[in-house]
Amino acid sequence: MTTPLFLLRCVQLGLSIRDLDLLTIGMVNDMFAESRNDDCKYATLATQEDFDKF
């Protein structure tokens, strides 16, 4: 990942330069990947009973 691409991802996530003092590059990458999943619709969602069985 290049520096301009990293900074673009930060802007897309709404992160400020001050926020970057607290985050690693990996954390920003994870946040961006998870943000792409926000629109995903899941066929089934786990319930508390499913977690208890796990």
Side-chain angles (χ1 to χ4, degrees), residues 13 25-35:
L13 290 169
I25 293 171
M27 292 171 73
V28 172
N29 286 336
D30 289 344
M31 290 170 62
F32 184 76
E34 288 300 321
S35 73

Side-chain angles (χ1 to χ4, degrees), residues 29-49:
N29 286 336
D30 289 344
M31 290 170 62
F32 184 76
E34 288 300 321
S35 73
R36 299 294 105 193
N37 293 334
D38 287 345
D39 297 331
C40 184
K41 302 296 182 211
Y42 297 99
T44 59
L45 294 176
T47 63
Q48 184 61 47
E49 183 179 321

